[in-house]
PDB file of all heavy atoms in Angstrom:
ATOM      1  N   ARG A 187      71.967  57.635  86.556  1.00 84.00           N
ATOM      2  CA  ARG A 187      72.814  57.101  85.491  1.00 84.00           C
ATOM      3  C   ARG A 187      73.287  55.696  85.790  1.00 84.00           C
ATOM      4  O   ARG A 187      73.570  54.930  84.891  1.00 84.00           O
ATOM      5  CB  ARG A 187      74.029  58.011  85.272  1.00 84.00           C
ATOM      6  CG  ARG A 187      73.699  59.255  84.485  1.00 84.00           C
ATOM      7  CD  ARG A 187      74.961  59.905  83.965  1.00 84.00           C
ATOM      8  NE  ARG A 187      75.521  59.150  82.870  1.00 84.00           N
ATOM      9  CZ  ARG A 187      75.630  59.590  81.622  1.00 84.00           C
ATOM     10  NH1 ARG A 187      75.237  60.786  81.318  1.00 84.00           N
ATOM     11  NH2 ARG A 187      76.156  58.840  80.697  1.00 84.00           N
ATOM     12  N   HIS A 206      69.378  71.251  86.328  1.00 97.00           N
ATOM     13  CA  HIS A 206      70.787  71.311  86.739  1.00 97.00           C
ATOM     14  C   HIS A 206      71.570  72.318  85.896  1.00 97.00           C
ATOM     15  O   HIS A 206      72.236  73.213  86.426  1.00 97.00           O
ATOM     16  CB  HIS A 206      71.383  69.909  86.600  1.00 97.00           C
ATOM     17  CG  HIS A 206      72.814  69.788  87.014  1.00 97.00           C
ATOM     18  ND1 HIS A 206      73.203  69.760  88.329  1.00 97.00           N
ATOM     19  CD2 HIS A 206      73.965  69.677  86.279  1.00 97.00           C
ATOM     20  CE1 HIS A 206      74.526  69.629  88.397  1.00 97.00           C
ATOM     21  NE2 HIS A 206      75.018  69.589  87.170  1.00 97.00           N
ATOM     22  N   HIS A 522      82.923  70.509  84.112  1.00 97.00           N
ATOM     23  CA  HIS A 522      82.974  70.519  85.576  1.00 97.00           C
ATOM     24  C   HIS A 522      84.355  70.922  86.097  1.00 97.00           C
ATOM     25  O   HIS A 522      84.484  71.310  87.259  1.00 97.00           O
ATOM     26  CB  HIS A 522      82.554  69.172  86.156  1.00 97.00           C
ATOM     27  CG  HIS A 522      81.057  68.986  86.099  1.00 97.00           C
ATOM     28  ND1 HIS A 522      80.434  68.305  85.091  1.00 97.00           N
ATOM     29  CD2 HIS A 522      80.058  69.436  86.900  1.00 97.00           C
ATOM     30  CE1 HIS A 522      79.124  68.316  85.281  1.00 97.00           C
ATOM     31  NE2 HIS A 522      78.861  69.019  86.371  1.00 97.00           N
ATOM     32  N   ARG A 586      74.484  63.191  78.402  1.00 94.00           N
ATOM     33  CA  ARG A 586      73.059  63.453  78.298  1.00 94.00           C
ATOM     34  C   ARG A 586      72.243  62.196  78.048  1.00 94.00           C
ATOM     35  O   ARG A 586      71.403  62.156  77.158  1.00 94.00           O
ATOM     36  CB  ARG A 586      72.790  64.449  77.167  1.00 94.00           C
ATOM     37  CG  ARG A 586      73.243  65.849  77.508  1.00 94.00           C
ATOM     38  CD  ARG A 586      72.947  66.831  76.396  1.00 94.00           C
ATOM     39  NE  ARG A 586      72.970  68.201  76.900  1.00 94.00           N
ATOM     40  CZ  ARG A 586      72.837  69.271  76.142  1.00 94.00           C
ATOM     41  NH1 ARG A 586      72.671  69.147  74.839  1.00 94.00           N
ATOM     42  NH2 ARG A 586      72.838  70.468  76.676  1.00 94.00           N
TER      43      ARG A 586
HETATM   44  C1  LIG C1017      76.961  68.506  93.323  1.00 51.97           C
HETATM   45  C2  LIG C1017      77.747  68.841  92.340  1.00 51.97           C
HETATM   46  C3  LIG C1017      77.518  68.373  90.915  1.00 51.97           C
HETATM   47  C4  LIG C1017      77.213  67.113  90.454  1.00 51.97           C
HETATM   48  C5  LIG C1017      77.050  65.834  91.259  1.00 51.97           C
HETATM   49  C6  LIG C1017      77.071  67.211  89.016  1.00 51.97           C
HETATM   50  C7  LIG C1017      76.771  66.151  88.164  1.00 51.97           C
HETATM   51  C8  LIG C1017      76.521  66.254  86.815  1.00 51.97           C
HETATM   52  C9  LIG C1017      76.313  65.156  85.896  1.00 51.97           C
HETATM   53  C10 LIG C1017      76.356  63.685  86.280  1.00 51.97           C
HETATM   54  C11 LIG C1017      76.061  65.680  84.663  1.00 51.97           C
HETATM   55  C12 LIG C1017      75.920  64.945  83.347  1.00 51.97           C
HETATM   56  C13 LIG C1017      74.673  64.313  83.042  1.00 51.97           C
HETATM   57  C14 LIG C1017      74.582  63.764  81.641  1.00 51.97           C
HETATM   58  O1  LIG C1017      75.241  64.201  80.687  1.00 51.97           O
HETATM   59  O2  LIG C1017      73.775  62.827  81.483  1.00 51.97           O
HETATM   60  C15 LIG C1017      76.104  67.112  84.792  1.00 51.97           C
HETATM   61  C16 LIG C1017      75.884  67.998  83.749  1.00 51.97           C
HETATM   62  C17 LIG C1017      76.098  69.360  83.833  1.00 51.97           C
HETATM   63  N1  LIG C1017      76.584  70.057  84.935  1.00 51.97           N
HETATM   64 FE1  LIG C1017      76.925  69.292  86.785  1.00 51.97          FE
HETATM   65  N2  LIG C1017      77.301  68.519  88.644  1.00 51.97           N
HETATM   66  C18 LIG C1017      77.583  69.251  89.773  1.00 51.97           C
HETATM   67  C19 LIG C1017      77.870  70.608  89.829  1.00 51.97           C
HETATM   68  C20 LIG C1017      77.835  71.473  88.759  1.00 51.97           C
HETATM   69  C21 LIG C1017      78.189  72.871  88.801  1.00 51.97           C
HETATM   70  C22 LIG C1017      78.670  73.612  90.041  1.00 51.97           C
HETATM   71  C23 LIG C1017      77.997  73.361  87.551  1.00 51.97           C
HETATM   72  C24 LIG C1017      78.206  74.751  87.002  1.00 51.97           C
HETATM   73  C25 LIG C1017      78.332  75.845  87.691  1.00 51.97           C
HETATM   74  C26 LIG C1017      77.501  72.281  86.722  1.00 51.97           C
HETATM   75  C27 LIG C1017      77.160  72.406  85.384  1.00 51.97           C
HETATM   76  C28 LIG C1017      76.685  71.382  84.584  1.00 51.97           C
HETATM   77  C29 LIG C1017      76.241  71.551  83.216  1.00 51.97           C
HETATM   78  C30 LIG C1017      76.205  72.861  82.419  1.00 51.97           C
HETATM   79  C31 LIG C1017      75.852  70.287  82.744  1.00 51.97           C
HETATM   80  C32 LIG C1017      75.355  69.938  81.343  1.00 51.97           C
HETATM   81  C33 LIG C1017      73.905  69.816  81.285  1.00 51.97           C
HETATM   82  C34 LIG C1017      73.452  69.371  79.931  1.00 51.97           C
HETATM   83  O3  LIG C1017      74.076  68.481  79.323  1.00 51.97           O
HETATM   84  O4  LIG C1017      72.458  69.937  79.449  1.00 51.97           O
HETATM   85  N3  LIG C1017      77.434  71.151  87.482  1.00 51.97           N
HETATM   86  N4  LIG C1017      76.403  67.436  86.111  1.00 51.97           N
END
Side-chain angles (χ1 to χ4, degrees):
Chain A
R187 282 196 74 115
H206 181 76
H522 284 96
R586 289 181 161 175

